[in-house]
Amino acid sequence: MSSSRSVRKLEVVSPVPADIDIANSVEPFHISEIAKDLNLSPNHYDLYGKYKAKVLLPVLDELESSDNGYYVVVGGITPTPLGEGKSTTTVGLCQALGAYLDRKVVTCLRQPSQGPTFGIKGGAAGGGYSQVIPMDEFNLHLTGDIHAITAANNLLAAAIDTRIFHESTQSDKALFNRLCPPNKEGKRKFSDIMFRRLKKLDITKTQPEDLTPEEVKKFARLDIDPNSITWRRVMDVNDRFLRKITVGQGPEEKGMVRETGFDISVASEIMAVLALTTSLTDMRERLGKMVIGNSKAGEPITADDLGVGGALTVLMKDAINPTLMQTLEGTPVLVHAGPFANIAHGNSSIVADKIALKLVGPQGFVVTEAGFGADIGTEKFMNIKCRYSDLRPQCAVIVATIRALKMHGGGPEVVAGKPLDHAYLNENVPLVEAGCVNLARHIINTKAYGVNVVVAVNKFSTDTEAEMNAVMNAAMAAGAFNAVICTHHAHGGKGAVDLGVAVQRACASGNQQLKYLYPLDISIKEKIEAIAKSYGASGVEYTEQAEKQIEMYTKQGFSGLPICMAKTQYSFSHNAAEKGAPSGFILPIRDVRASIGAGFIYPLVGTMSTMPGLPTRPCFYEIDLDTATGKVIGLS
C-alpha cells in the first residue's frame, strides 16, 4: 500500500484520559482524505460536514467484479454489565492492521442509540486510544439514519390506527370509492402499490370498476384484529413511561381506544431490515412485507396491504447508504445500522460489509463486530447475517477479560456504577481458571462454524501475568487458533499488533468453510432446539402462547425463516445469574414473534425490555457544551 495514506501515530499518555478528552485532542482528517485512501472518487459519496460522508450504493455495482478481502467478526465471552471492550478491540485491531501492519482495512460498526448515550451505558465509539472520531457525532445524530427509522416506523403506526378507524365508520363501497377516487375524467384507477394487494388476493383485474362486490370487500377491508397488532411506536430515548400507553382518547376518535406502547428506535423492525438488506430493491420488498398483525380471519397484514411500503422506502432512501468515518489513527470506518442485539440480530449492515470487502480488496481486511456474547451476536452473525449476505468469514475474534472470567469462576456480582470487589483488583489465578469454562464453550461453539478463532485478552492495569497466562493456556486447550494479550485501550493500534498478526495468520491459513448451526427447511421448533443445545440446554419448554404462535407462523408459511433468539446476554442460559458454562437446564420459550420483513422468527426467552429506562443519575448529568469552543464535553 502507498505510504501516503492518512495514518496518524498517536501520542499516548498515562494514565489514560477520559474518552471524550482523547477524542477532542485529535483533529480528524477531512473525510475526503479517508475516502481517497479507499480509492473512492467524489461521485461515490455525499459529504455530511467535514468528517462524515455517505458512501453511495452504486459503488457496489462498479466493484462487482473485484475480489473481496478477508472477513473478520469480533464477538466476546459472556460479559459483565460493564462490557468487556468488544468495540474497543474491534477498533484497536483495525488501527493495528492499518497504521502498523500496512494493510488496507475497514472497520464496520453499528450506529449507537442515543438511549444508552444519555442513559447508563454511555457511547459506543470504542474507548481510550481505540475510538471512532468525531466521538460526539458518532454517538448523537450521525447522518440521521435512526431519525429516518423513527419517522418511517411511526408513519406505519399511524397508518394502522387510521385504517382501523376509517374501516369502522364506512361501508365497503364508500371505503373502496375513497381508496380509488375518480380522476378529473371521472375514471378510477389503482395506484401501483395496490396491485401488490390485488396479487396477494389472486385478483387479476386491473380496473377498479371490474371488481365484484365480494372482491371490493376483500380488497378494501383489511379487517385488522386490534388485539393482534404487534407494531408499536418508537423513539430514540430511554423513556420507561412510554412502555405501555393508551391511544385514541381524543373525542374525534369515536371511542377507538387501544392499548399499545413505545419501543426504543433501534428495536424497530425497520432497523433490522436496514441491517439485513442487500440493495434498494431488496429493502423496498422487505419494508413492504413487514407484518403488523393479522386480520380477524387470521391472515397476516403487511405494510404493503396498508399502501405504505413505498413511502417507508422514500423515508429510508438515504439511510441505506453507510456512513464513512475514521479511527483516532486515521483508518476508515463504515458505521451503519444498529439493531437491538437481544430482540434483533445485533450486527451492523450487510451493505456496509459488502462495500468494505470490495474496497479493501484481496489481502485487505474488513473487521465487523457482533453484539453481546458470542452465543448471541456471533451465532446470529453466522446463521442470519451470513445467510442473507452470502459472505463467508475467515476468522472470529473472541474478546475476553480477566474481570469477566473471574465473575464466571464464582466471583462476586459486578454491578454498573458500583466499585469492583477486591477479588477483581487482586491476583486470583484459581478464580480465573474456573471461569475459563465460559471462554472454552464460546471457542468450541464458534469453531463449529468452520472458522479460525483468535482470543483477544483485553488487558486491564490490575491483571497479572499469571492470570493472563492462565487464560491463554485455557484458550489454546479449547481449540483456539491463537490467543494474545492486547493493550489497545492504553496504546491504540500499537497495543493490538500481536492481535493483528494473529488475525492475519488465521485468515491466511485457508482451511475455513462456513457451516450453519441448522438448515432452514426444518421446523421452527427444531431450529430453536438446535440453538438451545449450543447454549448447553438439555431441552426446551414452550408456553401455550409460544405453541400457538409457532402453529400460526407455520400455517402462514413463515417456518422457513432463520431463528433470532431474544435472550439475556449475561448467561448462556435464560437465567442471568447462571454464570460460567451451565448445562442440563430446560430453556423456557415464553412467546414467539416474527420480523417477516427483516426475515427472522424471534422466540422470547424470558422477558425482554424493548424500551430501557433511565437510572437515578443518567449519563446526561455529565454532558454539556463548551460554548467557547463549541466542543461537546462529558460524553463517555
Side-chain angles (χ1 to χ4, degrees):
M1 280 176 61
S2 102
S3 56
S4 65
R5 283 182 305 123
S6 308
V7 169
R8 178 193 297 107
K9 293 293 193 290
L10 294 171
E11 300 283 329
V12 304
V13 297
S14 182
V16 179
D19 289 351
I20 189 70
D21 293 337
I22 294 173
N24 284 341
S25 73
V26 172
E27 180 64 32
F29 294 113
H30 194 284
I31 201 64
S32 60
E33 306 230 355
I34 304 295
K36 193 175 166 191
D37 293 340
L38 289 170
N39 297 321
L40 288 167
S41 67
N43 64 332
H44 287 144
Y45 58 87
D46 288 339
L47 289 171
Y48 280 65
K50 291 189 285 187
Y51 306 126
K52 305 186 299 282
K54 281 276 198 182
V55 180
L56 306 175
L57 245 53
V59 169
L60 257 182
D61 300 325
E62 280 189 39
L63 298 173
E64 195 179 2
S65 59
S66 307
D67 290 335
N68 285 345
Y70 291 121
Y71 195 31
V72 180
V73 60
V74 178
I77 62 169
T78 306
T80 69
L82 306 177
E84 311 319 307
K86 266 197 329 299
S87 301
T88 308
T89 302
T90 304
V91 174
L93 167 59
C94 291
Q95 290 182 164
L97 287 165
Y100 287 87
L101 297 170
D102 204 32
R103 292 290 177 186
K104 213 163 184 181
V105 64
V106 174
T107 315
C108 288
L109 291 177
R110 286 184 293 170
Q111 180 186 349
S113 163
Q114 285 178 185
T117 299
F118 292 115
I120 195 166
K121 196 165 173 273
Y129 286 101
S130 294
Q131 292 187 57
V132 180
I133 55 172
M135 178 195 176
D136 55 336
E137 295 185 30
F138 180 90
N139 283 307
L140 299 174
H141 307 284
L142 199 64
T143 45
D145 294 357
I146 292 180
H147 302 320
I149 286 161
T150 305
N153 184 101
N154 294 342
L155 176 62
L156 180 50
I160 296 164
D161 287 310
T162 299
R163 185 59 173 260
I164 296 171
F165 171 78
H166 287 307
E167 286 192 19
S168 73
T169 57
Q170 296 176 43
S171 67
D172 296 342
K173 190 177 177 186
L175 198 59
F176 184 71
N177 288 345
R178 286 189 173 93
L179 286 169
C180 303
N183 60 17
K184 285 175 186 171
E185 288 78 47
K187 282 196 63 115
R188 299 182 186 278
K189 58 177 251 181
F190 293 120
S191 64
D192 286 348
I193 199 169
M194 289 176 174
F195 287 106
R196 291 173 180 250
R197 176 153 179 83
L198 290 165
K199 186 179 177 186
K200 179 178 170 178
L201 297 170
D202 291 324
I203 298 172
T204 54
K205 295 167 184 174
T206 58
Q207 300 303 319
E209 55 268 24
D210 293 342
L211 267 62
T212 65
E214 189 186 301
E215 288 170 336
V216 163
K217 180 174 183 171
K218 274 170 71 178
F219 169 77
R221 196 163 292 283
L222 301 183
D223 204 24
I224 298 166
D225 176 0
N227 296 319
S228 76
I229 296 171
T230 52
W231 198 265
R232 288 154 59 92
R233 288 158 174 84
V234 299
M235 65 187 303
D236 200 35
V237 173
N238 289 0
D239 191 345
R240 66 176 74 241
F241 282 89
L242 291 178
R243 288 171 181 167
K244 189 175 271 194
I245 61 163
T246 306
V247 294
Q249 293 194 344
E252 298 84 4
E253 276 63 68
K254 301 181 173 61
M256 286 191 51
V257 174
R258 182 172 76 83
E259 225 178 52
T260 178
F262 273 77
D263 296 328
I264 195 157
S265 296
V266 292
S268 170
E269 183 178 348
I270 297 177
M271 176 62 93
V273 166
L274 178 65
L276 288 171
T277 195
T278 52
S279 68
L280 204 50
T281 305
D282 179 62
M283 184 172 77
R284 169 65 188 88
E285 293 307 310
R286 287 175 183 269
L287 291 171
K289 284 195 299 191
M290 293 188 304
V291 172
I292 58 89
N294 299 326
S295 69
K296 286 171 184 162
E299 294 299 318
I301 302 294
T302 66
D304 273 346
D305 287 328
L306 285 154
V308 74
L312 302 182
T313 311
V314 168
L315 285 169
M316 292 292 294
K317 73 179 176 62
D318 295 326
I320 198 172
N321 300 312
T323 300
L324 181 65
M325 295 186 76
Q326 63 192 283
T327 66
L328 285 168
E329 298 192 56
T331 60
V333 180
L334 283 178
V335 185
H336 202 211
F340 231 61
N342 298 86
I343 299 298
H345 66 294
N347 282 263
S348 61
S349 80
I350 285 172
V351 292
D353 290 2
K354 285 195 159 191
I355 289 170
L357 284 162
K358 295 295 184 191
L359 291 175
V360 298
Q363 307 307 309
F365 289 82
V366 171
V367 183
T368 188
E369 180 197 341
F372 291 152
D375 56 315
I376 298 182
T378 307
E379 183 270 308
K380 293 173 183 180
F381 171 85
M382 302 291 184
N383 291 306
I384 300 174
K385 185 176 179 180
C386 288
R387 271 192 217 267
Y388 285 122
S389 69
D390 213 24
L391 296 172
R392 303 285 178 264
Q394 285 77 38
C395 173
V397 175
I398 295 178
V399 179
T401 61
I402 303 294
R403 175 178 71 196
L405 292 168
K406 283 180 175 177
M407 178 191 71
H408 287 296
E413 193 180 358
V414 176
V415 181
K418 289 191 178 175
L420 283 169
D421 187 274
H422 71 91
Y424 296 106
L425 306 173
N426 297 283
E427 182 172 285
N428 189 330
V429 175
L431 203 57
V432 174
E433 287 175 334
C436 281
V437 293
N438 184 271
L439 172 62
R441 184 177 289 172
H442 282 297
I443 293 168
I444 291 160
N445 281 359
T446 306
K447 267 191 77 177
Y449 294 111
V451 298
N452 286 328
V453 174
V454 173
V455 172
V457 185
N458 192 7
K459 184 182 186 300
F460 295 177
S461 58
T462 49
D463 301 339
T464 69
E465 196 173 338
E467 289 173 330
M468 289 184 292
N469 285 337
V471 180
M472 291 200 290
N473 291 338
M476 298 309 286
F481 182 88
N482 208 336
V484 292
I485 309 297
C486 305
T487 61
H488 44 273
H489 184 272
H491 303 118
K494 190 177 180 182
V497 167
D498 290 347
L499 177 60
V501 170
V503 165
Q504 283 188 83
R505 285 184 48 236
C507 287
S509 72
N511 58 354
Q512 309 92 337
Q513 193 173 6
L514 181 60
K515 303 182 193 98
Y516 299 124
L517 186 59
Y518 52 81
L520 289 181
D521 58 3
I522 59 175
S523 71
I524 291 173
K525 279 190 173 180
E526 286 171 312
K527 285 182 266 202
I528 290 171
E529 282 148 25
I531 298 170
K533 194 175 170 189
S534 77
Y535 297 156
S538 58
V540 179
E541 193 174 78
Y542 302 89
T543 63
E544 194 180 325
Q545 169 68 8
E547 293 274 12
K548 192 179 98 185
Q549 292 297 104
I550 289 169
E551 191 182 336
M552 183 185 76
Y553 291 135
T554 304
K555 188 176 146 212
Q556 289 177 342
F558 301 138
S559 65
L561 294 173
I563 300 295
C564 185
M565 291 288 230
K567 177 183 82 72
T568 177
Q569 69 269 37
Y570 294 124
S571 172
F572 270 110
S573 77
H574 55 286
N575 179 1
E578 286 279 330
K579 304 304 180 189
S583 60
F585 55 92
I586 302 294
L587 193 75
I589 304 296
R590 181 174 66 82
D591 198 358
V592 177
R593 296 181 190 159
S595 290
I596 301 304
F600 53 74
I601 304 279
Y602 63 99
L604 298 177
V605 184
T607 307
M608 292 286 130
S609 173
T610 49
M611 172 54 89
L614 290 171
T616 308
R617 192 184 191 284
C619 295
F620 62 59
Y621 271 87
E622 305 298 331
I623 298 169
D624 211 330
L625 192 71
D626 181 333
T627 53
T629 63
K631 288 198 168 179
V632 173
I633 52 177
L635 267 181
S636 61

